[in-house]
Structures are given as structure tokens and as C-alpha cells.
Amino acid sequence: HITDNWDRRLCMTYLSVYIKNELNEGLELFPGFATPPPMAHKEYMEYVSEQLDQETPTAYGLHPNSEINFMTKQADELFKNVAELQPRGGGGAGGMTMQEKVKRLLDDILERLPEQFSMYEIEERIDERTPYTSVFLQEVDRMSQLIYEMRRSLVELDKGLRGDLSMTEAMEGLMDSIYDDMVPDGWNRLGWPSLRPLGSWLADMLARYRQIADWTADLATPKSTWISGLFNPQAFLTAVMQVTARKNEWPLDNLEVIVEVTKKMLPEEIDAPTRDGAYIHGLYAEGARWDTNTNTLEDALMKQLYPPLPVVL
């Protein structure tokens, strides 16, 4: 029903696009499906059932990659439900029990877990506290808190598995998360927003740690900052604005973030830090890709779901 001007505008748009003479000449409603010639209602129904193939993203104006995302999500949900239905008792027939598997994974995580940063030692080496320095000090503090909690909870669970401590509800939750390859809630609260499974999350955590460790080595702002590898990326963008405002004596409230996408795909291609602003990397496009030849967004290529963006200034 048309009840207002917006309804009328929508209806007129549909009519202008679809109701035209070309309908009688085989107008393609979407690739591979043309309108039929004039016929009876029953023949229309038969035509649709015979000519219309299985529903595809193209029929709805979507990129074919969207079907990959949909089916991948369905498969992940299926395997997750199957894993939750698996028995958690004894291994049987020579298999590992839940406790044995968790103990093996626990030892592996503890072996790979780096040491905490010494905030006192780092602050002693700082000559001038700039906005960039404040951001990385916050990153150091949050990473140290996360590592402390990871080591504390793992050591506690290890003692529980050995029988030195009584198993608590928190320890059982940690054991279930490790067994299911999920990030424990206690680690998630101190970490960053992530949907990764535990194994991939741990590798990501170690990569984030290395970026912070590289900064603590010489206390110099990286040539290009892995912005998606920070706990608080917004704080880094604010620091860029603060440094620019102080350098040019501009009011901070009047500044806006303007970006320029470079032609360098890898941060290693950056020779030196920029004088104004900062180089960042670690951004990805979804449903599109960046064409370095034309410096524009283009349609994504098949099976490239999240193509990386070049280094951004």
C-alpha cells in the first residue's frame, strides 16, 4: 500500500526499472535469467521452475564471494556443534583423555608465553614523553596484564590437574576452553575484540607482543605501525592528531584524520617514518579490493574474501 511520498517514490523506482518494453524482448533480470515472452500464467510458472537455476548471490546483486562467507559460517557452526557433542570422558582404546590433552596444550602455551615487560625499566629510559610514547606505554601495560593473567591461570590449572589444588569452577572453565580451542573468558576480558580460535589467537598475541617489544628496544615510533595489532587503535589516531596540532600550533578540536593510500603493499617497503602523520598497516577490505594501479576501490576477486590494503599514510 502506498501511504506516503516515500512509498510512492519506491514504487515509481521499481516501475521505471522493471516495467518497460524490453520485458517482451528478453530483458535479463540477472545474468543467465531473461524474461520470458508473453504466455499464460501456468507457462510462466513452468518457465521459472525450469530456467531459474539454484539461487546464487548474483540473483540478489551480491558478489559471488558472499556465498563463500555464508557457507563457511554454516560449516563452522556445524563442526562447533559436533565438537560440543563429543564425550569428554576417558580416551579409551589408547586415546588421550581430556585432561591429558589439556595438559599437553597447557605446557605448550606456557613454553611459548613470553615474559612480562618491566614498566619501571622502560619508563627510566624515556627522555621525553610524547603522545606516541603514552600510547605504547599503555600497550605495554595491557600486554603485561594479559601475560600475567595467562601465566597465573595456566599455572593454577596445571596444579589442579596434578592434584596439588582442588579444581574450581574457573579452572574447569579454562580447561573446557583449551580443550574446545576457544579463548578463555578471563583472557578475552584483558585482550582485544577477536573471533579467532585459541591457536590462531595465541599466534596473533605473540605477533602483537613482538611489535611492542620492537618499540621497547629503541623507544622510537615504528616506520609503519600495525594499527590493528594495538589494544586501542583509536588512541594511536588521537596521538597522531595531538602531535600534528602541537607541531603546527593548531587547535586540536579543528583537526580531522585524512588518509592517503600508498602503493606500498608491505610495511618493509617504508624507508623512514613520515614527517607529518604516521604510516599504518594491517587494514583489510571486505567485499572489495584496492587497485594500486588506479588508486581506487574495485570489485573483489573470486575467493579473495579479505584482501589487504596497502600501507596507509
Side-chain angles (χ1 to χ4, degrees):
H1 301 285
I2 298 178
T3 59
D4 54 28
N5 290 334
W6 294 108
D7 289 341
R8 182 175 297 278
R9 174 181 289 189
L10 177 63
C11 183
M12 293 301 296
T13 301
Y14 278 127
L15 291 175
S16 64
V17 172
Y18 291 112
I19 307 303
K20 55 181 64 176
N21 293 330
E22 288 82 350
L23 282 175
N24 298 323
E25 302 172 1
L27 175 67
E28 278 201 340
L29 299 180
F30 64 87
F33 183 73
T35 55
M39 56 180 66
H41 178 270
K42 182 179 179 181
E43 295 173 323
Y44 278 131
M45 300 300 294
E46 293 175 353
Y47 178 86
V48 171
S49 61
E50 294 174 359
Q51 299 298 324
L52 185 62
D53 294 331
Q54 182 181 2
E55 292 185 344
T56 63
T58 310
Y60 300 96
L62 301 176
H63 193 279
N65 283 348
S66 60
E67 187 174 24
I68 299 177
N69 277 329
F70 172 73
M71 299 183 71
T72 301
K73 184 177 180 180
Q74 278 193 321
D76 288 343
E77 191 68 24
L78 172 63
F79 287 124
K80 177 183 176 181
N81 293 335
V82 170
E84 291 177 351
L85 294 174
Q86 296 298 310
R88 298 175 182 268
M96 296 174 58
T97 64
M98 176 182 179
Q99 288 76 11
E100 291 172 342
K101 180 180 178 181
V102 170
K103 181 66 169 66
R104 179 172 61 82
L105 295 173
L106 182 151
D107 292 338
D108 178 63
I109 296 175
L110 280 175
E111 183 179 351
R112 299 168 61 188
L113 198 62
E115 295 295 328
Q116 293 176 240
F117 293 104
S118 174
M119 288 291 294
Y120 177 78
E121 178 186 345
I122 295 173
E123 290 179 344
E124 282 289 311
R125 294 163 47 207
I126 296 176
D127 297 327
E128 179 184 4
R129 187 153 181 163
T130 66
Y132 291 135
T133 305
S134 298
V135 171
F136 277 99
L137 283 176
Q138 294 172 8
E139 295 292 316
V140 169
D141 183 50
R142 293 192 61 174
M143 180 61 74
S144 295
Q145 292 182 35
L146 175 60
I147 293 175
Y148 171 81
E149 174 60 22
M150 291 176 66
R151 180 172 282 108
R152 183 203 64 78
S153 58
L154 289 172
V155 170
E156 183 182 62
L157 177 59
D158 187 37
K159 292 180 180 179
L161 293 175
R162 295 202 310 264
D164 297 338
L165 291 176
S166 299
M167 292 290 290
T168 63
E169 184 178 349
M171 294 163 66
E172 290 180 353
L174 175 61
M175 181 172 64
D176 290 340
S177 295
I178 294 177
Y179 183 79
D180 293 332
D181 196 27
M182 298 173 58
V183 182
D185 292 337
W187 302 1
N188 246 336
R189 284 193 296 269
L190 295 174
W192 53 91
S194 176
L195 298 176
R196 294 171 178 260
L198 179 58
S200 177
W201 182 90
L202 182 61
D204 186 45
M205 188 274 288
L206 295 175
R208 293 167 181 261
Y209 179 91
R210 285 192 294 271
Q211 174 171 245
I212 299 175
D214 291 341
W215 174 81
T216 59
D218 54 10
L219 301 179
T221 305
K223 298 177 183 178
S224 178
T225 301
W226 178 29
I227 193 169
S228 55
L230 301 177
F231 285 89
N232 187 5
Q234 185 61 43
F236 183 81
L237 298 179
T238 302
V240 173
M241 298 175 64
Q242 290 174 339
V243 170
T244 304
R246 293 179 184 180
K247 180 180 178 181
N248 298 279
E249 298 182 353
W250 294 338
L252 181 60
D253 294 339
N254 295 342
L255 295 185
E256 296 181 357
V257 177
I258 299 177
V259 300
E260 176 186 343
V261 183
T262 70
K263 291 184 176 294
K264 302 181 186 297
M265 293 300 300
L266 301 175
E268 291 78 13
E269 299 177 24
I270 302 298
D271 299 326
T274 179
R275 293 182 178 180
D276 298 314
Y279 287 113
I280 61 172
H281 64 277
L283 302 180
Y284 294 83
E286 182 178 4
R289 63 181 175 88
W290 186 264
D291 191 331
T292 54
N293 296 322
T294 60
N295 285 336
T296 56
L297 279 174
E298 302 290 347
D299 288 338
L301 301 177
M302 280 294 295
K303 299 184 180 180
Q304 290 189 4
L305 303 183
Y306 306 104
L309 289 176
V311 176
V312 176
L313 173 59

